[in-house]
Every structure is written in C-alpha cells, then in structure tokens.
C-alpha cells in the first residue's frame, strides 16, 4: 500500500461509525463521503485506500463510486453546483438555471471554470421536488431557486 492520503480524522470518524453498521462493507458509502469531504474528489489512490480500509478490492469501490453521481471521480472546483433537471425541477425552470450558470460562468455542464472556482453539473432528482427547482452547492441545498436568487448566490461566491 502506498503512502496514506486520508487523515487520522477520517479513520477516527470511521471507527465511530463502524459499530452502527452490520458489516464493514456497509460502511462503504459513508467512507466514500468522508474521503471526498477531505480530498474534494476521489482519485484512484483514495479509492484504493478506502478499499484497503473496508477490506474489498479497489475495483469494487470504483464500481460503487462510479454508480452514484454524488461521488466525484474527477477534480471539481471549490464550488460544485449540481442543478437538478429532473421532472419537477424542469417544470419549474431548471433548464433556465443551468443556462444562466453556463452563461455567467462561461462553462458548459460538466466543466470547471479556469480559476477552478466553479464546476457545473446537471443532476438527477435531489429529493427536494416539493421545493423545486433545487440545486446543491457542495453539500448544501438551495431550493425554490429562480435566476435572480441564483445570480445573487453566484455573485456572493465569486467574491
Ligand atoms: S425533480 Fe428536482 S429535486 Fe426532485
């Protein structure tokens, strides 16, 4: 095993969670979340370290991480915007929000700004359909968005 990347804080957090799960494998999703919180994304070395901690093959960890869109297998900007474009959000203007982000940030969905500050993605349902349109900014929800509110948010982050 190569040099460890994840901190002692990661391992302490996992030790606290472990008794709550029936098996160590069941810890995989929270472990990936904690690892991503620490490193911003999940490079192959981090997936290998998570695999070693859990006790499974790195390919299994990659399979799981690549299935869920909330795990970043490529570097993302400081602010990761995930705009839901599923049905409820779409009916309430989500495409306009995406278009506004693309124009204002001068990037397309899936891209990161040159200063590495913003990454934009379209997302499937975020489970906030009742307050559509919804977007996640890193791990925080922003709901009932309109272009004006989004614009204010982007301006505050750009400072
Ligand atoms: S459709 Fe957008 S949160 Fe469910």
């Amino acid at each position: 095993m190569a040099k460890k990347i994840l901190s002692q804080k990661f391992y302490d957090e996992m030790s606290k969670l472990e008794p709550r799960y029936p098996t160590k494998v069941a810890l995989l999703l929270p472990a990936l979340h904690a690892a991503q919180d620490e490193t911003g994304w999940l490079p192959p070395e981090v997936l290998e370290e998570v695999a070693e901690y859990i006790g499974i093959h790195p390919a299994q960890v990659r399979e799981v991480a690549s299935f869920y869109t909330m795990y970043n297998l490529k570097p993302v900007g400081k602010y990761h915007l995930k705009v839901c474009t599923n049905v409820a959000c779409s009916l309430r203007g989500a495409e306009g929000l995406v278009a506004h982000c693309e124009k204002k940030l001068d990037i397309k969905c899936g891209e990161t700004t040159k200063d590495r500050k913003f990454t934009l993605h379209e997302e499937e349902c975020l489970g906030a359909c009742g307050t559509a349109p919804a977007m996640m900014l890193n791990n925080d929800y922003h709901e009932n968005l309109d272009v004006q509110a989004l614009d204010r948010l982007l301006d505050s982050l750009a400072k």
Side-chain angles (χ1 to χ4, degrees):
M1 167 88 198
K3 183 176 166 285
K4 286 194 178 203
I5 295 168
L6 298 169
S7 71
Q8 189 56 46
K9 184 172 167 266
F10 168 86
Y11 289 99
D12 291 345
E13 194 179 331
M14 290 304 106
S15 296
K16 273 190 213 153
L17 286 177
E18 213 175 311
R20 295 197 224 158
Y21 287 79
T23 63
K24 206 166 177 183
V25 174
L27 257 181
L28 180 54
L29 297 185
L32 287 170
H33 274 296
Q36 181 167 276
D37 284 347
E38 232 180 80
T39 57
W41 67 293
L42 297 169
E45 313 82 68
V46 169
L47 295 179
E48 281 174 28
E49 190 171 335
V50 169
E52 180 164 319
Y53 169 72
I54 298 286
I56 57 178
H57 195 279
Q60 292 173 285
V61 175
R62 173 168 289 282
E63 279 173 10
V64 170
S66 63
F67 178 79
Y68 294 103
T69 58
M70 71 263 203
Y71 298 122
N72 306 317
L73 298 178
K74 291 182 181 168
V76 293
K78 179 178 179 188
Y79 301 116
H80 190 184
L81 307 167
K82 291 165 273 187
V83 182
C84 173
T85 53
N86 216 307
V87 179
C89 290
S90 196
L91 289 171
R92 301 209 2 113
E95 278 77 11
L97 299 177
V98 171
H100 184 73
C101 287
E102 288 183 329
K103 188 169 179 203
K104 188 167 178 107
L105 301 174
D106 194 24
I107 55 174
K108 294 285 179 207
C109 264
E111 294 180 348
T112 298
T113 53
K114 285 192 182 84
D115 61 4
R116 307 215 59 77
K117 210 161 183 183
F118 294 95
T119 298
L120 176 64
H121 278 112
E122 286 187 28
E123 191 62 84
E124 292 304 324
C125 182
L126 296 171
C129 315
T131 50
M135 176 186 87
M136 286 189 79
L137 165 61
N138 297 342
N139 291 327
D140 296 327
Y141 276 80
H142 293 264
E143 298 156 70
N144 286 312
L145 274 176
D146 57 25
V147 169
Q148 292 73 26
L150 177 61
D151 207 40
R152 283 194 299 276
L153 178 64
L154 293 176
D155 283 343
S156 72
L157 299 172
K159 289 176 187 164

